[in-house]
Amino acid sequence: MNTDARRYVIIVFFLLVGSIYAVRLFYMQVIDDSWTLRAQEIAEKRQQITPPRGVFFDRRGKKIVANKTYFNLMMREADMKEKFDTNAFAKLIGWTPIKVKSRFWEIKLGEGRYKNPHTGKTTSNYQKIRSYPFVKEMSMEEMANIAPYLQNFPGFYEEITSMRSYPYANAANILGYLSEVNGDEVKEDRFYRAGDNIGRAGLERFYEAELRGVKGIHYIVTSALNNAIEPYANGKYDTIAKQGPALHLGVDIVLQAYGEKLMRNKRGCIVAIEPNTGEVLALVSAPTFDPNLFVGKRSISKNYSRLINDPAKPLYPRPLSAEYPPGSTFKLIQALTALQEGVIRPGTGFPCTKSMVGCHNHPNARNVAEAVQYSCNPYFYYTVKKIIQQGKRKKVTEDAPIGLAKWTKYMKSFGFGVKLETDITGIRPGLIPDPAYYDKWYGHNAWAFSTIRSNSIGQGEVKATPLQLANLAAILANRGWFITPHFVKSVGSKGPLPIYRKKHYTMINREHFDPVIEGMRMVVNEKGGTGSQARIKDIVVCGKTGTVQNPQGEDHSVFIAFAPMYKPKIAIAVFIENAGFGGTWAAPIANLMMEKYLKKKITDKEKEKHILESDLD
Amino acid sequence: MKRDESIIGNIDWGLAIVFLVMVFMGVANVYSAAFNPKHPDLFDFSQKYGKQIMWVGISMFLGLMVFLIDASIYRKFAIPIYLFCLVLLVIVLFMPSVNGAHAWLGIGSLGIQPAEFAKIGTAIALASYVNSINVKQQNVNTVIVANIILLFPMALILLQPDAGTFVVFTGFLFVMYREGITYDPIVLHLVNLIPGVRFKSTWVGSHFIPILFVVVFLSIITLLMSNNTIHFFLFPGVDIPGFYGVIGALLFMGVATYLILRFFASKRERNRITMIVVIGFFLCSLISSIVNFGFQGLKKHQKDRIELFLGLREDPDGEDYNRNRAMAAVGSGGFFGKGYGNASVASVESNHVPESETDFIFCPLAEEWGFFGSLVLICLFMFMLFRIVQIAERQKSRFNRVYAYCVAMILFYHFAVNIGMDIGFAPVIGIPLPFFSYGGSSMMSFSVMMFVLLKLDSQRGDVLG
């Protein structure tokens, strides 16, 4: 058998493999870009340039969150001298030699190890050619002392970083703070790399995606023949870092600072809103803290545990998260709902019987306005009973769920029992019970108005946050609608987010507001009103007090108001924990806040002094 | 005096020059791949490039020795050389293991790998044996003896374990195929057991080796591509499943083969060619489909095992670490590469591709010289292989011819597997790229192999068939 022709089989194999490999290489190297990207990813030869974060301005254009330059002392072992003088270096940076040595180990061990499953070799992720921050967050002064001597320690150099600073030590609960990303966050979002900062609370967190800006990427190559760093492809793929847009807040930092001052030594909240825009003017949570305490890793680790363990909970954003019974302020919407439902008329009166619910001594309310003025409990007991028990069914237990379902819808149209879409984290919905809620507690058709009557005066199951109460004040000021309360008037020059341009209408017609608002005017301005402490000279204030029964201790003092009565400029809710009657504490604080905002000065210095000096904590 | 002249005059300069060019490129490449800025001197013997130059020097010295010794010695001492290699392979098993394999004889960087030299010994033994038998006499016994010559070193190498070199030994089956020593006698023996059947030869038995090769090659490529998608530049934004890519490539190659052969073939042969190409295409597609869908239908643990073996796992930072880094280095080369000394993934400094100066030596080359450099490398190897086949076919001595084919197949296997693993076409089994990878054993063994071939060829006139 002649096998000479078989040489061609072998030649064809050579050719086949050779040409397949050539085609494959052409595809991998020339056509397909994905390996090039993968190579960039692997080689990590990109320098990320982190832009400064977007800054914050208040409503009058004052810079309230700025960036301050700090320095990191960087270390690159590959450049270090073989004989490193630990003692001299320790002396320079003011550490003990032991601390310097242990910091080296901390950096090395902190990088972890990698086990190559093919060779079985375990190598440290730490690389001598990489730079690591040796001392972080040094101030310019600290660095200035060291910098001239750094040339004696090759491998150490300074790197500029930017951190937050707060020219006004206020609004910590609104602004939030920054801290370093954790491992999960790095995995989740490729934007971040270890050591980057991320917004942790408040606006910093809510607007993280805008504030962080766009990172610049500078591709670099360290060649195998020379160690010099050179731009990759002459910077063809480089991108420029872009600072995040500035946030223009509706907050008036002067008012905010004044509110925080008034609330010193008290627990509670103040929320002020501009009614026709929904912009939050001030949101005070007391006690609060200085936002400058949370700048940088060093000061966060120093202060965080102290603040988180403080029984007064300064880190807890009360106006957004604390759900209190609304108390008598809730009577306002009961009146509105009853008028809309037609179960009472503006002139409807009820005697103050005190048989079903207690009340204080006052004349019988002859109409809705007087009922609001006197805050008559029996009046609202009867009113809400008429809403819940409309007689659609014979049995009261079958009738009540129908009425309550309707009532629930009314309440929710005021933003109660729902999470307001405010641009901040930590918002709670409060609670508005619906029929299903009571069915769960008492069983189906096993309850009626009498079971749930406490809700009619803002006690019982209903819960609301101070933000929701301020929003209620804004709805009353607007006579029937609201724009979701929000902090940011404009992201850069883009204006507010679209959801903060939309008016939300309640289920109440415009005309029903007049008798209720007249009642609110009487609360403040007429004799026998519960909120006379809120009176401002030359400005008609409309308000409503509340005293929230608190089984744990003293009653909470509540006051909501707006002013002036016509073309209102400010709507406010003040909530003082364990302070007793609403008219005594909450009303004067609301009064001072409104006057400060509307007149820019305080006429009643005595009142101011009294509040400032009071310690209710 | 006359004799010296004849050596110089009879040397195949084409092959010798390609060989020297490759050695030169290899050293230059190792210099870049292993560059240490603290020791920039090319001749710094503390560095891998310095050592590689030393190995090249030693290899050239060995080459000189080979040229001074008469070529007939290999035929005469074939069995002692073969046995010596086997003894070394046995001894090496008792040596301490390095990176999990008992492959090194001697200490540290001065050690040698007997497996590298066993290839030459086996090639000589096989050549000697094939030379001793008459083609027409081939029977079950001759096939078995030839296979046993391969089996001893293969078994010993597998014990080390060294899967890469083991695979290379299967290349000798092609040499046997060329010489007509196929598995046909065994197949015939079995087939003719059936009453009434009396074949003189079977097609499958005769061509068993290339068929097996095609099936294995196609199966591996199908499996490697089955998890991938291809982005074909003619259809931007369309993801083509890897399997259809394989079928498409087969179709393309079938049409191309048909057109090329049609151009050269006579009218009479056209029908036959068309038939072969069509049948070949359908058979290949069938194999590919069976492998693809068979694989998809496997149970998870079976799939896992195959995926693990082939390094198919989509686990770029774990199981698939080496291959992923290697492919990134190669794929990022672009058309003209990043420039000599500018590898960013495969550089020793960044150390992303492990063993970038030995088993993954193609990575820095492809990254720094791009598709252009890769193509030059492929062309050099192709030229070398064709040249060796040409040399083989002009030998009067069957010994020389078998030996030459052995060299061609060894080089081809090293080339195909080594580059294959850098482009995702072969499992990651570490074998060096001839003349390029850093390492004394491979440098010396490939050089000696080449010098023996050149020497045999230069004396082809003296030897009687």
Side-chain angles (χ1 to χ4, degrees):
Chain A
M1 188 169 54
N2 186 358
T3 57
D4 284 355
R6 290 187 182 179
R7 77 178 80 163
Y8 297 113
V9 174
I10 290 173
I11 286 176
V12 165
F13 275 140
F14 291 172
L15 259 183
L16 202 66
V17 171
S19 51
I20 288 175
Y21 279 19
V23 170
R24 170 69 173 169
L25 279 163
F26 187 74
Y27 175 75
M28 276 178 73
Q29 296 186 297
V30 182
I31 296 172
D32 189 4
D33 266 351
S34 58
W35 289 110
T36 307
L37 298 173
R38 177 72 184 133
Q40 284 170 357
E41 206 174 274
I42 289 168
E44 284 191 58
K45 295 205 181 299
R46 2 192 261 171
Q47 284 182 329
Q48 293 201 340
I49 302 152
T50 309
R53 266 175 99 81
V55 296
F56 292 39
F57 294 99
D58 91 331
R59 71 184 292 113
R60 311 214 185 276
K62 290 182 178 125
K63 197 186 257 189
I64 54 173
V65 179
N67 293 315
K68 194 176 166 188
T69 305
Y70 282 80
F71 294 88
N72 284 342
L73 182 60
M74 304 297 289
M75 175 200 77
R76 188 168 181 268
E77 197 181 336
D79 298 336
M80 278 166 63
K81 275 195 279 193
E82 302 207 351
K83 275 193 177 171
F84 175 69
D85 190 343
T86 312
N87 290 332
F89 184 72
K91 207 174 159 194
L92 176 65
I93 63 172
W95 286 11
T96 61
I98 294 162
K99 197 178 169 192
V100 170
K101 276 193 183 135
S102 65
R103 175 65 186 148
F104 272 119
W105 283 107
E106 192 188 350
I107 291 170
K108 281 181 193 176
L109 298 176
E111 287 297 302
R113 295 167 80 74
Y114 172 74
K115 187 167 187 284
N116 184 329
H118 285 279
T119 60
K121 279 186 231 168
T122 307
T123 48
S124 172
N125 288 337
Y126 172 84
Q127 287 186 14
K128 288 182 178 179
I129 55 159
R130 282 205 201 148
S131 298
Y132 298 91
F134 194 79
V135 187
K136 284 188 158 189
E137 296 159 14
M138 302 174 81
S139 69
M140 201 177 293
E141 298 77 50
E142 286 174 301
M143 186 49 85
N145 290 334
I146 296 174
Y149 307 102
L150 277 183
Q151 58 184 6
N152 300 332
F153 301 96
F156 285 90
Y157 62 97
E158 65 210 68
E159 189 189 76
I160 295 179
T161 60
S162 141
M163 288 203 296
R164 285 305 206 197
S165 82
Y166 305 91
Y168 299 84
N170 303 110
N173 288 314
I174 302 175
L175 303 173
Y177 62 98
L178 305 179
S179 77
E180 269 182 34
V181 286
N182 59 37
D184 289 341
E185 284 158 342
V186 173
K187 257 183 229 157
E188 212 171 274
D189 190 340
R190 304 210 67 132
F191 181 89
Y192 302 103
R193 289 163 53 125
D196 281 354
N197 278 332
I198 189 169
R200 277 289 168 227
L203 298 182
E204 293 275 21
R205 178 150 163 209
F206 193 89
Y207 286 99
E208 172 66 22
E210 287 83 13
L211 289 169
R212 68 190 189 186
V214 180
K215 273 187 181 175
I217 296 168
H218 178 49
Y219 291 94
I220 48 164
V221 175
T222 52
S223 92
L225 274 184
N226 75 71
N227 252 337
I229 290 168
E230 60 194 33
Y232 176 73
N234 287 324
K236 197 167 83 182
Y237 302 104
D238 290 5
T239 53
I240 293 166
K242 260 194 250 163
Q243 183 174 15
L247 294 188
H248 298 271
L249 307 194
V251 171
D252 182 337
I253 195 67
V254 175
L255 185 68
Q256 174 76 24
Y258 186 64
E260 287 179 19
K261 197 167 128 192
L262 292 177
M263 292 297 281
R264 224 171 268 162
N265 303 322
K266 300 165 193 74
R267 288 186 200 182
C269 343
I270 304 172
V271 182
I273 296 175
E274 185 177 63
N276 63 338
T277 59
E279 288 163 12
V280 176
L281 298 169
L283 184 126
V284 178
S285 180
T288 185
F289 60 98
D290 181 349
N292 290 303
L293 292 179
F294 275 11
V295 175
K297 202 178 180 177
R298 277 198 288 178
S299 61
I300 290 176
S301 60
K302 203 169 79 188
N303 297 310
Y304 186 79
S305 64
R306 178 171 63 80
L307 288 170
I308 198 77
N309 292 323
D310 187 333
K313 293 198 203 168
L315 297 181
Y316 181 56
R318 285 161 213 261
L320 314 169
S321 301
E323 294 165 313
Y324 304 102
S328 298
T329 56
F330 205 53
K331 290 172 183 166
L332 297 168
I333 14 176
Q334 308 316 313
L336 289 168
T337 305
L339 289 166
Q340 178 72 27
E341 279 291 293
V343 294
I344 60 168
R345 300 159 54 70
T348 306
F350 289 108
C352 182
T353 56
K354 300 192 183 96
S355 59
M356 299 307 296
V357 282
C359 202
H360 52 101
N361 285 322
H362 63 80
N364 282 338
R366 291 163 297 177
N367 52 44
V368 171
E370 283 185 4
V372 170
Q373 183 192 357
Y374 303 138
S375 195
C376 176
N377 288 343
Y379 188 97
F380 288 96
Y381 168 83
Y382 292 121
T383 303
V384 177
K385 187 175 182 184
K386 278 175 171 274
I387 301 170
I388 306 291
Q389 310 278 192
Q390 292 193 12
K392 300 260 156 80
R393 292 277 190 288
K394 268 203 177 131
K395 271 182 86 176
V396 284
T397 52
E398 285 172 19
D399 189 35
I402 300 170
L404 185 70
K406 206 183 267 179
W407 177 85
T408 305
K409 269 192 203 158
Y410 275 104
M411 298 304 117
K412 290 195 170 170
S413 79
F414 283 87
F416 286 104
V418 292
K419 243 173 143 172
L420 289 172
E421 289 176 296
T422 301
D423 49 356
I424 199 162
T425 54
I427 295 273
R428 296 279 306 160
L431 177 68
I432 293 296
D434 57 5
Y437 180 89
Y438 289 115
D439 284 354
K440 215 166 90 188
W441 277 102
Y442 301 108
H444 192 57
N445 288 345
W447 52 274
F449 172 71
S450 52
T451 330
I452 62 170
R453 60 174 187 266
S454 310
N455 291 319
S456 58
I457 55 165
Q459 298 288 155
E461 285 72 43
V462 288
K463 294 249 169 10
T465 63
L467 180 69
Q468 283 168 323
L469 290 179
N471 191 40
L472 172 61
I475 292 168
L476 289 156
N478 291 332
R479 275 75 168 172
W481 57 268
F482 69 96
I483 290 176
T484 304
H486 57 279
F487 292 94
V488 175
K489 278 168 75 165
S490 180
V491 178
S493 53
K494 281 192 200 153
L497 300 181
I499 56 164
Y500 304 135
R501 296 172 201 221
K502 198 182 152 220
K503 283 182 183 178
H504 299 272
Y505 284 89
T506 58
M507 291 163 70
I508 313 292
N509 292 348
R510 165 72 185 80
E511 66 268 20
H512 300 307
F513 279 87
D514 290 334
V516 175
I517 287 171
E518 173 59 17
M520 290 172 76
R521 186 193 65 77
M522 284 149 53
V523 166
V524 178
N525 299 294
E526 296 294 323
K527 208 165 169 247
T530 50
S532 57
Q533 285 278 355
R535 215 174 284 169
I536 304 176
K537 200 172 169 248
D538 306 330
I539 295 175
V540 181
V541 175
C542 301
K544 179 75 194 81
T545 56
T547 308
V548 176
Q549 288 164 22
N550 176 17
Q552 274 97 40
E554 279 276 318
D555 291 349
H556 302 315
S557 171
V558 196
F559 188 71
I560 71 169
F562 64 86
M565 185 169 175
Y566 299 105
K567 295 194 179 160
K569 289 270 179 286
I570 182 169
I572 194 167
V574 178
F575 204 108
I576 315 293
E577 288 180 16
N578 314 112
F581 179 57
T584 324
W585 293 106
I589 290 174
N591 164 272
L592 290 168
M593 286 293 283
M594 288 190 287
E595 189 174 27
K596 180 84 181 170
Y597 181 68
L598 296 171
K599 288 188 172 173
K600 309 268 178 296
K601 60 176 187 193
I602 300 300
T603 44
D604 192 345
K605 293 284 178 196
E606 273 304 305
K607 190 187 277 170
E608 185 182 36
K609 195 171 166 233
H610 170 66
I611 295 292
L612 286 175
E613 283 172 359
S614 304
D615 186 348
L616 301 173
D617 201 9
Chain B
M1 290 305 112
K2 198 188 164 201
R3 191 171 172 166
D4 280 352
E5 276 168 25
S6 75
I7 289 177
I8 304 296
N10 284 330
I11 281 182
D12 188 279
W13 284 106
L15 180 61
I17 287 169
V18 176
F19 161 65
L20 291 174
V21 166
M22 282 199 187
V23 169
F24 173 77
M25 281 173 67
V27 170
N29 203 35
V30 168
Y31 183 52
S32 168
F35 185 77
N36 182 345
K38 285 180 183 150
H39 301 271
D41 187 3
L42 177 61
F43 294 96
D44 189 324
F45 292 118
S46 68
Q47 297 302 310
K48 286 188 173 155
Y49 28 94
K51 282 191 191 129
Q52 183 76 344
I53 285 175
M54 184 184 82
W55 294 124
V56 169
I58 294 172
S59 300
M60 293 301 149
F61 176 74
L62 291 175
L64 190 66
M65 304 290 286
V66 167
F67 272 114
L68 292 178
I69 298 167
D70 191 85
S72 60
I73 188 177
Y74 307 112
R75 200 155 31 130
K76 284 179 195 152
F77 291 99
I79 293 170
I81 292 171
Y82 176 70
L83 290 177
F84 179 67
C85 289
L86 288 188
V87 169
L88 288 183
L89 285 177
V90 172
I91 291 171
V92 85
L93 292 178
F94 298 99
M95 289 291 150
S97 87
V98 177
N99 285 345
H102 303 271
W104 291 86
L105 208 57
I107 310 132
S109 59
L110 289 172
I112 59 156
Q113 290 167 289
E116 295 293 333
F117 296 96
K119 288 177 222 162
I120 307 177
T122 311
I124 289 172
L126 188 67
S128 170
Y129 176 70
V130 173
N131 190 43
S132 70
I133 55 167
N134 190 329
V135 189
K136 284 169 188 136
Q137 287 175 344
Q138 76 144 310
N139 52 36
V140 177
N141 285 345
T142 55
V143 174
I144 288 174
V145 172
N147 275 290
I148 283 174
I149 292 175
L150 303 187
L151 274 178
F152 275 114
M154 283 171 85
L156 288 168
I157 284 166
L158 204 57
L159 284 175
Q160 289 185 0
D162 180 356
T165 310
F166 176 84
V167 168
V168 170
F169 270 75
T170 61
F172 290 126
L173 296 174
F174 271 95
V175 181
M176 285 157 59
Y177 167 74
R178 164 66 188 89
E179 294 305 320
I181 304 170
T182 63
Y183 293 104
D184 200 30
I186 297 168
V187 174
L188 275 179
H189 200 77
L190 294 173
V191 169
N192 288 344
L193 286 178
I194 304 166
V197 178
R198 207 106 211 110
F199 282 122
K200 280 194 176 151
S201 68
T202 62
W203 193 80
V204 173
S206 316
H207 299 280
F208 183 73
I209 299 302
I211 292 170
L212 185 72
F213 182 87
V214 168
V215 170
V216 170
F217 187 69
L218 203 59
S219 306
I220 289 180
I221 288 194
T222 306
L223 284 177
L224 289 174
M225 296 304 287
S226 69
N227 282 3
N228 288 344
T229 52
I230 299 171
H231 310 278
F232 196 53
F233 67 101
L234 285 180
F235 313 107
V238 182
D239 289 351
I240 306 165
F243 170 63
Y244 296 107
V246 173
I247 299 291
L250 283 173
L251 187 64
F252 175 77
M253 286 196 300
V255 171
T257 315
Y258 171 73
L259 290 175
I260 292 167
L261 290 179
R262 205 184 127 101
F263 190 74
F264 292 109
S266 62
K267 266 191 180 170
R268 236 163 23 116
E269 285 178 314
R270 267 188 206 164
N271 286 341
R272 206 171 139 221
I273 289 166
T274 314
M275 205 173 71
I276 288 174
V277 169
V278 170
I279 292 174
F281 169 72
F282 279 109
L283 281 177
C284 288
S285 305
L286 184 69
I287 293 164
S288 187
S289 320
I290 291 171
V291 170
N292 185 55
F293 295 111
F295 177 69
Q296 307 290 354
L298 284 179
K299 294 225 169 64
K300 198 181 170 297
H301 68 273
Q302 295 167 318
K303 256 176 147 173
D304 282 356
R305 208 163 280 175
I306 292 173
E307 285 180 341
L308 215 61
F309 171 70
L310 290 175
L312 264 178
R313 287 295 178 77
E314 283 285 317
D315 186 9
D317 296 319
E319 288 290 344
D320 210 12
Y321 181 90
N322 292 1
R323 182 213 293 277
N324 189 272
R325 265 46 177 183
M327 288 177 75
V330 172
S332 65
F335 196 92
F336 283 113
K338 298 174 181 173
Y340 183 61
N342 282 331
S344 54
V345 181
S347 72
V348 70
E349 190 191 35
S350 65
N351 202 22
H352 293 299
V353 179
E355 305 290 323
S356 66
E357 68 285 345
T358 58
D359 292 346
F360 286 102
I361 191 70
F362 180 64
C363 295
L365 184 133
E367 194 181 354
E368 293 177 357
W369 298 96
F371 176 67
F372 174 75
S374 310
L375 195 63
V376 167
L377 182 93
I378 288 176
C379 289
L380 281 174
F381 267 104
M382 285 294 125
F383 178 84
M384 181 177 261
L385 293 171
F386 293 152
R387 191 73 197 156
I388 295 174
V389 170
Q390 214 175 355
I391 288 170
E393 292 295 341
R394 75 186 180 200
Q395 303 301 317
K396 290 173 192 157
S397 149
R398 211 170 168 209
F399 176 86
N400 287 9
R401 187 172 73 203
V402 172
Y403 178 77
Y405 266 114
C406 284
V407 173
M409 287 318 299
I410 290 168
L411 290 176
F412 172 66
Y413 262 63
H414 274 267
F415 162 81
V417 174
N418 185 288
I419 294 182
M421 68 185 180
D422 297 335
I423 58 175
F425 273 7
V428 177
I429 42 176
I431 59 172
L433 185 63
F435 317 120
F436 282 85
S437 288
Y438 164 78
S441 298
S442 68
M443 191 70 228
M444 288 191 292
S445 72
F446 284 119
S447 301
V448 166
M449 195 187 283
M450 195 55 69
F451 280 120
V452 170
L453 174 62
L454 287 167
K455 175 69 179 171
L456 285 172
D457 180 53
S458 73
Q459 277 184 267
R460 65 183 182 274
D462 333 342
V463 185
L464 296 172

